[in-house]
Amino acid sequence: SASLVLLGVADSGRDALSVERLFVDPAQGRDVLATLRQHGHIESEVRLRAADGREFDALLAARVTRFAFEPAVIASLVDITERKRAELALADSQQRYRQLFEAESDAILLIENESGRILEANAAAARLYGYTADELRGMFNHQLSAEPEETQRVSRLTPAEVGGVVVIPLRLHRRRDGTVIPVELSVRFFELGGLRVHISAIRDIGTRLAAENALRDANARLSQQLADIEVLQASLREQAIRDGLTGL
């Protein structure tokens, strides 16, 4: 049968099959047999060993029946090794993504393009906005905006081309406690499982803007002081000229 071919066993060798030889983990084999005895059927993913020693993952479907008036088990096996490898690779990729996502110091939101629904949020986003990550998931991006109508308008008008990157130098967002904060956004558009989404890296630029404003104010004061000095110097020169003419 196909199952024997999968196991690398000839018809003549089927009698030599045993739980200890067939299952990589004999305890798993004993659990399968116990389930068959108790329920009469089973469908489960198992790890098996072929006759040549090759290990592989399989989907086992088996049920108890009778053959020639004797108890028997009918079983089918489907090799799912490649699927399991793909699942493990995906899980590993997702874990690496999650680690990078959480390690980012900027607030990161994964947002569905069409609805603006927040699909994912990292710990930095939770700290920035004052919500838990679970609370942020399921909210909409305009709920975090201090100018929601403008946010919705920009979302509608911004070309959402896959691979495109948009930088928005200044938006006003609102924390849970009502505090308004200036933020800079870097947005990248892509597809995730057939869903058009974008990931927003959001940086609180309040401190930077305050420093820039302070520098502008200081420069303005300095310019005014220089202007005042020039006026004073001109006045002193004029006074010196008059004193020279009058001899006083």
Side-chain angles (χ1 to χ4, degrees):
S1 70
S3 295
L4 291 177
V5 172
L6 181 60
L7 292 168
V9 177
D11 284 348
S12 59
R14 69 175 68 195
D15 293 336
L17 292 176
S18 66
V19 167
E20 284 71 19
R21 290 185 56 185
L22 182 59
F23 287 86
V24 172
D25 180 3
Q28 186 182 49
R30 290 190 289 271
D31 290 341
V32 167
L33 292 177
T35 300
L36 283 170
R37 293 189 188 100
Q38 183 175 359
H39 301 289
H41 61 88
I42 189 173
E43 183 171 317
S44 178
E45 293 182 4
V46 293
R47 183 78 174 165
L48 302 178
R49 183 183 293 109
D52 61 3
R54 175 179 56 89
E55 296 181 1
F56 64 97
D57 295 291
L59 179 62
L60 168 68
R63 64 182 178 86
V64 176
T65 185
R66 297 187 73 82
F67 180 75
F69 306 105
E70 294 291 334
V73 173
I74 296 177
S76 65
L77 294 174
V78 177
D79 189 344
I80 58 171
T81 304
E82 290 305 316
R83 192 195 81 189
K84 294 290 287 185
R85 285 176 182 164
E87 289 175 350
L88 289 173
L90 178 61
D92 182 60
S93 176
Q94 289 175 332
Q95 178 63 21
R96 289 199 301 271
Y97 159 77
R98 170 56 63 182
Q99 290 172 347
L100 289 171
F101 190 71
E102 292 299 341
E104 177 58 53
S105 59
D106 287 342
I108 301 291
L109 299 176
L110 178 65
I111 301 170
E112 183 184 6
N113 289 354
E114 185 174 353
S115 67
R117 182 167 57 94
I118 299 171
L119 305 176
E120 269 295 349
N122 68 350
R127 290 192 297 270
L128 177 63
Y129 292 107
Y131 295 92
T132 67
D134 284 339
E135 287 173 328
L136 286 169
R137 297 183 196 106
M139 290 177 66
F140 294 87
N141 58 349
H142 68 265
Q143 292 177 282
L144 300 176
S145 177
E147 40 192 1
E149 294 82 5
E150 182 65 11
T151 295
Q152 291 173 316
R153 186 188 71 81
V154 170
S155 296
R156 286 194 304 271
L157 297 179
T158 301
E161 297 180 1
V162 173
V165 176
V166 176
V167 176
I168 303 173
L170 176 62
R171 303 295 301 162
L172 297 179
H173 282 192
R174 192 185 304 277
R175 289 193 173 106
R176 184 174 195 161
D177 63 6
T179 305
V180 174
I181 52 172
V183 297
E184 179 184 76
L185 293 91
S186 179
V187 183
R188 185 176 185 87
F189 297 91
F190 61 101
E191 283 193 3
L192 181 66
L195 189 67
R196 287 183 174 270
V197 299
H198 62 273
I199 195 160
S200 289
I202 305 156
R203 179 171 296 178
D204 181 353
I205 58 173
T207 301
R208 190 183 81 192
L209 289 181
E212 290 174 354
N213 289 335
L215 180 60
R216 267 196 304 272
D217 291 344
N219 286 335
R221 288 195 299 273
L222 179 60
S223 296
Q224 184 59 52
Q225 289 169 353
L226 290 174
D228 292 342
I229 290 171
E230 289 179 359
V231 170
L232 178 60
Q233 288 176 334
S235 176
L236 290 174
R237 285 194 298 270
E238 184 180 342
Q239 182 67 41
I241 294 172
R242 284 201 303 269
D243 290 348
L245 292 174
T246 61
L248 297 177

